[in-house]
Amino acid sequence: MVKKILSYSYIYILLLLMYVPILVLIVFSFTNATYIGTWNGFSFDLYVALFESEEIMIAVGNTLIIAVISAVCSTILGTLGAVGGHYLKRKSKAALENINQIPVVNAEIVMALSLVVMFVFIGNMIFGGANLFSFWTLLAGHIVISAPFVYLNVKPKLQQMDPSLYEAALDLGCAPRKALYKVVVPQILPGIFSGFMLAITLSLDDFIVTAFTRGSGLLSGANNIETISTLVQAKIKKGPIPPEMRPLTTIIFIVVLLVVIGITIYRNKGAKHKSLARQKFRARKE
């Protein structure tokens, strides 16, 4: 009984610490007060100001563009790496997995600094001292931190897959590339999708690598690329967080919540369809 009470208490405390601040932001996004704790009456003024703020809209646009492009690139690289590594010999496979673990377990500040050193070195030694920092260096940084997680999401699906399916496709005259797309990819598609979603989340959430590797480009033009995280950090330096950030966090939270609910419903429907198909198959056998 005591263990049960302690376990539930632990869960509820964690939920309170995680969601009470978010609920406070949501509540005070519907008042035009500058500071949280002051209620000036219910209104949508902050939501109007949010969409009228060019600075915030540019940061949101940059964040979404980088997140989508880096997630697509990371998903392709991580999936190809997982598939290739799955069919490697034991020693080569172990070496690949150890290398893949480095960005996962390493401190993000170390990754950011190492990327900066690499870009500066390439700019000095190959391009005659040119400043390489731009959208491309930022994109490379996001791919470096995201691709290993895609690899880790795809790898278990490959291990669960029946290896005889691919071999059977080859025996029936299917080319290796066609067998990969027709047999392997459909089997590991849930892992690819979860890796893609995780890559987007990592990119949206990143600050350190973004701050170190960004340059001019995208919607920011000749200025340094601003994302939501770098914009918030810049505003905190000057003073309190702009009130318009409260409705932005509310919208982000609602979108993420809807996506999670949608994925859960889709997976539950898929599991029901599979169980029904198994029951029908068993009934036919009997």
Side-chain angles (χ1 to χ4, degrees), residues 76-152:
I76 294 171
L77 289 174
T79 302
L80 292 176
V83 172
H86 183 69
Y87 293 102
L88 285 175
K89 293 181 180 179
R90 183 177 297 178
K91 289 184 179 180
S92 300
K93 185 177 180 179
L96 178 63
E97 291 183 355
N98 289 331
I99 292 171
N100 186 76
Q101 289 291 337
I102 293 173
V104 176
V105 301
N106 206 357
E108 194 173 350
I109 185 67
V110 176
M111 295 298 302
L113 287 172
S114 63
L115 288 168
V116 170
V117 171
M118 182 185 71
F119 294 139
V120 171
F121 176 79
I122 294 173
N124 290 335
M125 299 301 294
I126 300 177
F127 296 96
N131 181 13
L132 298 182
F133 291 95
S134 62
F135 161 72
W136 299 107
T137 56
L138 177 56
L139 178 62
H142 280 234
I143 291 172
V144 166
I145 62 174
S146 300
F149 289 93
V150 177
Y151 179 100
L152 293 175

Side-chain angles (χ1 to χ4, degrees), residues 60 63-64 67-68 70 142 199-207 227-229 252 256:
V60 171
T63 303
L64 293 176
V68 172
S70 65
H142 280 234
I200 285 184
T201 304
L202 290 170
S203 179
L204 291 173
D205 189 50
D206 181 75
F207 168 73
T227 63
I228 295 173
S229 59
I252 292 172
V256 171

Side-chain angles (χ1 to χ4, degrees), residues 248-263:
L248 178 60
T249 55
T250 301
I251 293 170
I252 292 172
F253 176 75
I254 291 172
V255 169
V256 171
L257 185 63
L258 291 175
V259 169
V260 171
I261 292 172
I263 292 172

